[in-house]
Amino acid sequence: MAYVNIEVRTEAGKVGIVQLNRPKQLNALNNELMDELGAALKAFDADAAIGCMIVTGSEKAFAAGADIGAMASYSFADVYKGDYITRNWETIRSIRKPVIAAVSGFALGGGCELAMMCDFIIAADNAKFGQPEIKLGIIPGAGGTQRLPRAVGKSKAMDMALTARMMDAAEAERSGLVSRVVAPDKLMDEALAAALTICEFSQIAVMAAKESINRSFESSLSDGVMFERRMFHATFATTDQKEGMDAFVNKRKAQFRHQ
Ligand code: DAK
C-alpha cells in the first residue's frame, strides 16, 4: 500500500514506526489516514521481525481529532451505517503486539481516543489532551467516554468531556493517562528505548501480558484472574520460559527466540 497520510519506517529492524502526516491539518484524522494507519499496523503485526510499534505525530500535534471539514455534512444515516467515520477506527484494537503512542502537542477528540487505544502513552511536556467534541454539538465517538474515565476517573473525565478543558502533560501523568513525560526533543528517543526494551523480551510473554491486561477491562476480577492464570500456565509451554529462567539461574543474559 502506498501511504499518503502517514510515514512508515522501522528502527533497528525491530520497531515499526507510524508517523501521522497531515501537518497542515494538525494531523486531523480522516478515513484515508485511518485506513493507512490500520494497514501499516497490521503489516507490522504480521512481520515476525517487529516486536513493538510506535504511533506518533508532529511536535505541534499528535492529532487534533477527526477531520471536522470531512464530517461536517454527514447525516445520521451516513455515520450510523458505518461507511463513513466508523468503518476503520477500531483496527488498532486487533493488533496483538504492543503499540506505544508518542504524543507531542495536541491530542484532541479522536486524537486523544487514538492515543488511548494504544497500549501506553509517552508524552512530551507540551502535550495537551482533550475531548472537546461538546463544542461541536457532538460527543466523543471513538471510545472517549469509556477509556478516559477508566484512565483518569469519572470526575476528570466528566470535566474534560463536559467543559472541553484540556489536560496538560503534567496533569495527564498525575492522573494516570500517560506513563511518562519527557522533553519534546527526547520524545522519540524515550519511546524508542521503551520499544527496544520490549523487543528484547519473549514476544509470546509480551503478547500474553498485553492480552491479560486488556482482559481486565472486559471482565470481573475473578474471570480476569482466571484468564491471567491460564495465560501464566501457558507460558510454561514455551522455550522462552526455559531460556529466561535458565539465564537467570546461570547469571547470563537471556536470548529469547519467541517460541
Ligand atoms: N479537523 C480539521 N481541521 C483541523 C482540525 C480538525 N479536527 N483541527 C485543526 N484543523 C486545521 C485548522 O482548520 C487549520 O486549518 P487552516 O485554517 O490553516 O486551513 C489548521 O488545522 C491549524 O489549526 P488552527 O489554526 O486552529 O491552529 P491553532 O493552533 O490556533 O489551534 C487547535 C489548534 C487544535 C486548538 C484547534 O485547531 C482546534 O480546536 N481544533 C479542533 C479540535 C477538535 O474539536 N477536535 C475534535 C474533533 S471531533 C468516531 C471516530 C472519531 C471521532 C468520532 C467518532 N467513530 C469511530 C464513530 C472523533 C471526533 C472528533 O475528533
Side-chain angles (χ1 to χ4, degrees), residues 24-26 28 60 64-69 71 85-86 89 106 108-110 113 132-133 136 138 141-142 166:
K24 288 200 187 105
Q25 295 84 10
L26 303 185
K60 176 153 189 203
D67 192 317
I68 300 168
M71 269 190 300
I85 191 162
T86 316
W89 272 77
F106 296 109
L108 302 179
E113 291 169 314
E133 289 89 340
L136 302 170
I138 59 171
M166 290 187 214

Side-chain angles (χ1 to χ4, degrees), residues 161-218:
L162 300 182
T163 71
R165 179 173 78 82
M166 290 187 214
M167 187 182 265
D168 66 20
E171 185 181 3
E173 188 182 28
R174 274 200 313 278
S175 311
L177 180 60
V178 313
S179 67
R180 317 177 189 185
V181 177
V182 295
D185 64 340
K186 295 282 180 297
L187 178 65
M188 282 313 286
D189 290 347
E190 187 79 11
L192 195 55
L196 286 168
T197 298
I198 291 168
C199 291
E200 291 290 304
F201 300 129
S202 163
Q203 225 171 66
I204 297 172
V206 163
M207 289 165 73
K210 167 170 171 164
E211 212 173 345
S212 298
I213 291 173
N214 281 334
R215 188 70 166 226
S216 75
F217 295 103
E218 311 288 344

Side-chain angles (χ1 to χ4, degrees), residues 60-83:
K60 176 153 189 203
F62 177 72
D67 192 317
I68 300 168
M71 269 190 300
S73 63
Y74 289 169
S75 67
F76 168 78
D78 292 334
V79 294
Y80 183 73
K81 286 193 293 183
D83 297 339

